[in-house]
Amino acid sequence: MPECALCPVRDSAACAVLEDDEREELARSGRNLTARRGETVFAAGEENTVCATLISGALKVRSIDPDGRERILALVHPAGFVGEMFAPFASHDIVALTETRLCVFGRGAMDRAIADHPALARALLRRSEAALHESRSLLEMTAQSRAEARLAALLLDFAAAASHSPCHGTERFDLPLSRGDIANLLGLTIETVSRKLGAFETEGLIRRDGRRGIELLDPARLSHIAGR
Amino acid sequence: MPECALCPVRDSAACAVLEDDEREELARSGRNLTARRGETVFAAGEENTVCATLISGALKVRSIDPDGRERILALVHPAGFVGEMFAPFASHDIVALTETRLCVFGRGAMDRAIADHPALARALLRRSEAALHESRSLLEMTAQSRAEARLAALLLDFAAAASHSPCHGTERFDLPLSRGDIANLLGLTIETVSRKLGAFETEGLIRRDGRRGIELLDPARLSHIAGR
DNA sequence: CGGTTCTTTGAAGGTGATCAATAGAGGTGG
DNA sequence: CCACCTCTATTGATCACCTTCAAAGAACCG
């Protein structure tokens, strides 16, 4: 049984704009769902009967092209919204990157809630616009022709996301993605990602600590490499 | 003075969900705007005081990276919606690809209209979701490592867009973009686009007619090259 | 400790970018 | 109507970069 009062994203998710009782009612229409790392939460092609808010963990939105290559189209973080309100069938796979908890709503109930609560429609519109902006940022990042530029930009993005202060990133953080996921996100190969990270370390731009740990030693030069 | 009754996109734009009088009232808050090919309609960095519906013509959404290269992030077609309802400043340039007519609304008026008319919020949400989907499709297209694959996919997209029947494209259509714009959309150079088009013609996949005319001679093989 | 997965490193080759020059289209004015 | 000019598109040659194929090394889990 979902307990909105205890929900860690109760103030930041789209449903935060609802009154407590309205929110509880919406929650009753759905269920909680957990997924383990690597599990496909929703699969492309499935009928779109639900949508969801991510409570904890992380998701990737991906597509698989005909020759079996994965392409990551977006990452979803806690309080993020998942699902399409209008398409009859899901366009992309949603896969858990870590242990994940979701709050799932039936699409019908969500639709009714939108009609009843203009503020909710506004909140979803805001999230959708943010998602569009992120998608275009990724497009800009992958537009950079040089692999170093894309990777540097991604490292800076992760650093900014890791620290919760909005202005400047942390120097030390853990990569949320494997080499393979990074490669699929940037449109590169695993080998290139590995080599470029090695080169960054050799040049004194970063220090690696295990597989995931990254310390930015020279953020200024990194951001120059990223194209500002 | 805007005349909604005569508007060619009156049934397909977001404002189509409003009653005639409500729509007229919204229209009174704004103005009509025309732009010539190449004109920047809204510039990145400007304060976001307005949004707009595209009445006729075509727009590109673009960004310029620090070394001056343009990257096209999206194309906008008639009835499409332009503008950000939440960001304080515009993220990207909006540039006219052809002679263009827009119906511009003040953001405040649009905000009020959203609050008053749930159906409008729903319509905008739908458009935003569609834009997100298009952005991700572009991401998939540019993810293809081979230039031929990207270009073939784009030709098929244009063919599908040119014919208004939803299922299959036309064989004969005009490219809506210059070589340079195609290159910037696909993350390639003008030279590569030109060469690959030449190769397609040599191989009997297409026939070129002037600069813009394209006839698809072998759509099946093209779509194979595009990765299905 | 052995097996599996993920990552690193190496060598070779292909593909698109770059630089450079030519050719064609469109537009303007004489 | 043609000459001229500009912008766009084509074509060519060279080179850097990333991918590919291959194998070894490191981390993780039973």
Side-chain angles (χ1 to χ4, degrees), chain B residues 9-227:
Chain B
V9 297
R10 54 165 292 155
D11 295 323
S12 44
C15 51
V17 300
L18 299 178
E19 299 299 324
D20 287 352
D21 52 342
E22 297 165 347
R23 188 207 315 235
E24 293 280 359
E25 187 191 329
L26 180 60
R28 265 193 296 278
S29 83
R31 63 188 195 281
N32 264 11
L33 183 75
T34 62
R36 286 205 306 272
R37 172 181 159 72
E39 255 184 80
T40 297
V41 181
F42 305 120
E46 279 178 358
E47 208 174 342
N48 259 332
T49 57
V50 296
C51 50
T53 288
L54 179 59
I55 298 174
S56 67
L59 303 171
K60 61 181 171 186
V61 180
R62 73 162 187 204
S63 79
I64 307 278
D65 61 28
D67 35 310
R69 284 185 224 281
E70 170 182 89
R71 180 73 214 250
I72 297 182
L73 302 170
L75 300 177
V76 184
H77 301 292
F81 182 79
V82 173
E84 299 162 287
M85 291 301 298
F86 299 98
F89 300 100
S91 313
H92 308 294
D93 296 323
I94 310 289
V95 179
L97 287 168
T98 64
E99 295 287 321
T100 282
R101 242 171 71 227
L102 293 133
C103 184
V104 181
F105 312 104
R107 211 170 86 166
M110 185 53 109
D111 228 352
R112 258 172 277 122
I114 287 176
D116 294 348
H117 307 289
L120 182 60
R122 211 182 121 89
L124 286 180
L125 187 57
R126 176 173 217 142
R127 289 216 165 263
S128 180
E129 219 169 75
L132 179 58
H133 191 260
E134 274 175 37
S135 178
R136 289 178 175 172
S137 296
L138 184 54
L139 214 35
E140 286 186 74
M141 191 153 61
T142 56
Q144 300 273 9
S145 43
R146 291 189 12 267
E148 301 151 48
R150 302 190 205 177
L151 192 53
L154 189 68
L155 289 180
L156 292 168
D157 269 16
F158 284 159
S163 93
H164 285 182
S165 97
C167 306
H168 51 303
T170 332
E171 298 98 21
R172 174 76 187 70
F173 62 96
D174 281 336
L175 290 173
L177 301 177
S178 70
R179 297 290 183 272
D181 281 331
I182 293 173
N184 289 334
L185 188 64
L186 296 180
L188 300 170
T189 59
I190 292 180
E191 293 95 322
T192 300
V193 171
S194 185
R195 270 187 258 270
K196 293 301 175 188
L197 281 178
F200 283 170
E201 188 163 37
T202 304
E203 294 167 31
L205 296 169
I206 65 171
R207 211 174 52 75
R208 282 184 289 181
D209 179 22
R211 307 220 241 194
R212 297 292 181 104
I214 292 284
E215 187 175 350
L216 303 188
L217 300 177
D218 194 341
R221 200 141 56 94
L222 266 180
S223 93
H224 180 72
I225 290 172

